[in-house]
Amino acid sequence: MSPPSSYYVQKIFETYAKSQLTFVQNFAGQAAKQAYIECLNKSNAVEIVQPLLDDIDPEVRMNAVLGLARLAGNSKKCAKQILCTDNLLKRLLGQIACENKTYKKSCMNLIRNISKHLSCSEIIVKECDGIHAILTCMKDLDVMVREVALQAISSIAGQDPSISQLIIKSGILPQIVQSLKEERHDFKLYALSTLSEIAKHNQKLAKQIVDVHTLPNVIIFLSTDYNTDVKLQANTLLLIKNIAKHSLSLTEIVVETKLFPEILLLMAHPDESVRYNAAEVVYEVVKYSIQICKMIVTTGGIVSLLNVILKSKEYPSTPAVLALGYISSVSPLLATAVINSKILKHLTAILKSDTDDDCLKAGIAWTLEMIGQHSSKHAKSVFTCHAVSAMIDVYINTSPTHEAHHKCKSAIKVILNKSEDFSAIEKLLTPSMPIQIMLHILIKISQVFSMLPKSFKARRNFIINGHLKMIQNLKPDINSHLDYVIKAVNCCFPDNILQMVAGEIPESVLRKLDKFVPKSQCLLDDHEVQMSNSFTNPV
């Protein structure tokens, strides 16, 4: 007896269903391997898989989403195609509440992977109702679903402040803060990362992060109990930095959470990433408050910052250098404390090294300027450690397109302006000295009530050391600043010496220098060529 015809129909549909599942499972497996990505692109995999996202079989739908998430993670082209295909992402996220945990995880991974390649937060949130889908996953009982949802939030929140504001308005923030108390280690890390990405944008968002009692929940991670958890401490410091950097009020809130002295101890942490992030926090808080600067100095913070500078290898020491600059700028007393820590020789050594870190060298130049701007004693300390000559070398050897080039020039001008050590300044005069720097050196040694006009000994040494002869060999443009300055220097010497300068000048002629009075009408007092001592901004 032949089987009923319904048997054959059922068999056909079963075969079709099995082939669909086999196909989509193979697709998900191939999408995970970089070697297959190009072939999948050429085969229009996204278009072929798209109908299967609405398949009646949940396992088929689950594998289709999993494959698309993997494809988006491995290919920017596929990520863009998935994002731009009409209603594809919106359809996936719209039915997420009815699906199983694997489907939910795949959807969250899809958001994260697309965001990794593209600035697409606005499309995901506003056109695809992404926040609702993420909220659904954050309320899921499965910890892995909530964890991947946190990663998805972090990836889109970091792209745009308006999106971060929408995330906060959704009411999800307390839930993220609560995640900090989860036992699962990765959960804490993703929660910290999400909060940090939101806080980094502006003061308003950072304040909203603070208002949900975030700081008391994260400050405990900086205690010695967590010293072995490097990632947790580094991410905590990054969050605190992104909160404190926006304003004085936020800085004060951060400091009031008993951040000190733990933050100073962390700058001696065995792990460099923790030391670097701790220095970044200090750099952010010293910008806003004199009292915080004083507290850091009195609690041994200068030594801690020096430790970061000396031990930096993989991470730049720029935050620690700039923190010292801000501390030094506050008062002559704090600048003296920085000098007494013997840190200048280490900063000079970095300037003389072969590092190509333009930002670090620019930061050192600015810090030296902040130290030397206060008085002649502070300027002398900078000269004594040969930092000025090191900055001149950086200025000569770097392109004008580099920040270090301009910061070194600014620092040299300010330190020259404060210095009263004629011999130290005179030693800088060499034939290879750039005209721009030489101009400021000559301005300093020839300006009214200073150096050459005032000192017989200085004028004698200027001749003996060959500097008077050297500047006569310069050929400046007529009526240029350099021409004006050379004339001002020449006014400090008798005409007969200027006529004899090309050869040997007898001792009998030099003796008459002590009775010579420079012509006051020739001395340099032109405000246009005087050196400014303005407070310049750091890098």
Side-chain angles (χ1 to χ4, degrees):
M1 181 179 177
S2 61
S5 59
S6 60
Y7 171 80
Y8 293 104
V9 174
Q10 185 179 356
K11 197 72 175 174
I12 291 171
F13 277 97
E14 285 178 359
T15 304
Y16 172 71
K18 286 180 181 179
S19 63
Q20 273 190 313
L21 181 59
T22 302
F23 165 77
V24 81
Q25 285 174 338
N26 288 332
F27 162 68
Q30 291 172 347
K33 299 175 183 178
Q34 191 66 45
Y36 291 105
I37 297 301
E38 187 62 32
C39 292
L40 291 171
N41 273 330
K42 292 179 179 179
S43 302
N44 297 317
V46 175
E47 293 179 14
I48 294 172
V49 172
Q50 188 177 354
L52 299 178
L53 297 172
D54 297 315
D55 196 85
I56 193 171
D57 186 348
E59 195 170 357
V60 171
R61 297 197 303 272
M62 179 189 70
N63 279 281
V65 179
L66 176 62
L68 289 177
R70 290 173 174 176
L71 198 60
N74 287 321
S75 169
K76 182 178 179 179
K77 181 180 178 180
C78 289
K80 188 173 182 180
Q81 186 180 358
I82 293 168
L83 185 67
C84 296
T85 300
D86 288 343
N87 293 325
L88 191 157
L89 191 58
K90 184 177 182 179
R91 194 165 75 250
L92 287 178
L93 299 180
Q95 61 194 35
I96 200 168
C98 309
E99 297 290 349
N100 61 26
K101 63 182 182 181
T102 305
Y103 183 97
K104 291 175 181 176
K105 284 192 292 183
S106 296
C107 280
M108 294 299 102
N109 273 322
L110 179 59
I111 292 175
R112 185 190 64 178
N113 290 340
I114 291 175
S115 301
K116 180 175 71 174
H117 297 298
L118 306 167
S119 297
C120 56
S121 56
E122 188 170 355
I123 296 174
I124 290 173
V125 171
K126 295 181 179 179
E127 297 182 19
C128 303
D129 199 15
I131 290 181
H132 178 74
I134 293 171
L135 277 170
T136 301
C137 292
M138 283 293 294
K139 294 175 183 177
D140 198 272
L141 295 177
D142 188 272
V143 66
M144 288 297 295
V145 174
R146 299 201 304 275
E147 185 177 298
V148 182
L150 272 176
Q151 295 177 54
I153 295 176
S154 179
S155 66
I156 62 175
Q159 294 182 4
D160 189 271
S162 64
I163 301 303
S164 292
Q165 188 62 57
L166 288 174
I167 290 170
I168 290 176
K169 283 183 178 179
S170 70
I172 200 173
L173 208 54
Q175 195 171 349
I176 297 174
V177 174
Q178 191 64 28
S179 302
L180 295 167
K181 299 178 182 179
E182 293 274 352
E183 290 186 11
R184 188 175 174 84
H185 176 264
D186 287 348
F187 215 94
K188 293 186 179 78
L189 289 179
Y190 294 131
L192 286 168
S193 175
T194 303
L195 293 168
S196 185
E197 289 296 319
I198 296 172
K200 74 179 184 181
H201 291 297
N202 56 49
Q203 181 180 348
K204 182 180 178 181
L205 291 170
K207 182 64 166 61
Q208 289 175 301
I209 295 290
V210 170
D211 289 343
V212 291
H213 307 291
T214 300
L215 290 173
N217 285 290
V218 302
I219 206 74
I220 58 174
F221 299 144
L222 301 183
S223 67
T224 52
D225 295 339
Y226 291 89
N227 260 5
T228 55
D229 199 331
V230 171
K231 287 186 177 180
L232 191 64
Q233 290 198 323
N235 277 272
T236 301
L237 290 166
L238 182 60
L239 170 59
I240 292 172
K241 181 205 86 168
N242 283 336
I243 292 173
K245 71 179 183 178
H246 296 294
S247 68
L248 172 59
S249 60
L250 287 172
T251 295
E252 289 174 340
I253 291 171
V254 166
V255 172
E256 286 169 4
T257 58
K258 299 181 180 179
L259 181 65
F260 293 90
E262 279 79 6
I263 194 71
L264 302 182
L265 297 175
L266 289 170
M267 286 195 285
H269 195 280
D271 185 82
E272 189 174 354
S273 66
V274 175
R275 294 198 302 269
Y276 173 80
N277 283 357
E280 282 214 307
V281 173
V282 173
Y283 160 62
E284 295 296 346
V285 300
V286 296
K287 292 192 298 185
Y288 293 107
S289 171
I290 295 175
Q291 297 305 320
I292 293 175
C293 289
K294 291 179 179 178
M295 178 185 66
I296 288 173
V297 172
T298 55
T299 53
I302 294 178
V303 175
S304 299
L305 290 167
L306 176 60
N307 180 71
V308 174
I309 294 171
L310 294 179
K311 293 185 177 181
S312 291
K313 292 180 181 177
E314 296 181 9
Y315 290 78
S317 58
T318 310
V321 169
L322 293 177
L324 289 169
Y326 275 111
I327 291 170
S328 301
S329 70
V330 168
S331 72
L333 188 62
L334 294 186
T336 300
V338 172
I339 292 170
N340 291 340
S341 69
K342 311 297 182 184
I343 205 168
L344 294 186
K345 65 178 182 181
H346 300 294
L347 298 182
T348 304
I350 297 173
L351 285 177
K352 292 181 176 180
S353 70
D354 57 357
T355 178
D356 56 357
D357 190 335
D358 177 62
C359 190
L360 175 58
K361 288 187 174 181
I364 291 174
W366 178 79
T367 296
L368 292 171
E369 180 181 340
M370 294 302 100
I371 294 170
Q373 69 173 338
H374 293 291
S375 69
S376 59
K377 289 184 179 179
H378 292 85
K380 184 176 181 179
S381 297
V382 178
F383 264 103
T384 301
C385 68
H386 307 292
V388 174
S389 58
M391 286 190 287
I392 290 173
D393 289 339
V394 172
Y395 175 82
I396 294 172
N397 296 320
T398 55
S399 165
T401 59
H402 289 111
E403 189 69 18
H405 181 89
H406 301 286
K407 291 298 178 185
C408 284
K409 181 180 179 181
S410 174
I412 293 165
K413 287 167 59 178
V414 170
I415 294 165
L416 280 174
N417 192 41
K418 283 294 179 182
S419 178
E420 295 178 1
D421 188 343
F422 179 80
S423 61
I425 296 176
E426 191 189 21
K427 288 177 183 176
L428 298 177
L429 283 173
T430 61
S432 61
M433 181 63 60
I435 294 298
Q436 295 88 342
I437 302 298
M438 184 177 291
L439 173 66
H440 295 291
I441 297 172
L442 294 176
I443 289 174
K444 178 61 184 177
I445 65 177
S446 61
Q447 60 187 227
V448 181
F449 306 121
S450 180
M451 308 220 172
L452 285 178
K454 187 178 178 181
S455 170
F456 151 70
K457 185 178 180 181
R459 292 196 293 272
R460 172 185 277 266
N461 288 337
F462 200 75
I463 295 171
I464 293 173
N465 293 332
H467 295 135
L468 183 62
K469 178 180 179 180
M470 183 193 74
I471 67 170
Q472 306 310 311
N473 294 329
L474 298 175
K475 304 298 180 185
D477 294 335
I478 297 174
N479 295 327
S480 65
H481 279 177
L482 183 59
D483 181 53
Y484 184 82
V485 172
I486 291 173
K487 289 176 180 177
V489 172
N490 289 343
C491 282
C492 298
F493 298 91
D495 291 338
N496 62 330
I497 286 183
L498 292 173
Q499 293 168 3
M500 301 169 64
V501 74
E504 292 291 330
I505 301 176
E507 180 64 28
S508 59
V509 175
L510 290 177
R511 288 196 202 102
K512 297 178 181 179
L513 273 175
D514 60 341
K515 298 178 182 179
F516 176 73
V517 178
K519 303 170 187 177
S520 58
Q521 68 271 22
C522 294
L523 299 183
L524 187 66
D525 58 1
D526 184 358
H527 292 293
E528 292 185 1
V529 293
Q530 293 292 332
M531 290 177 295
S532 63
N533 189 23
S534 58
F535 188 103
T536 54
N537 290 324
V539 182

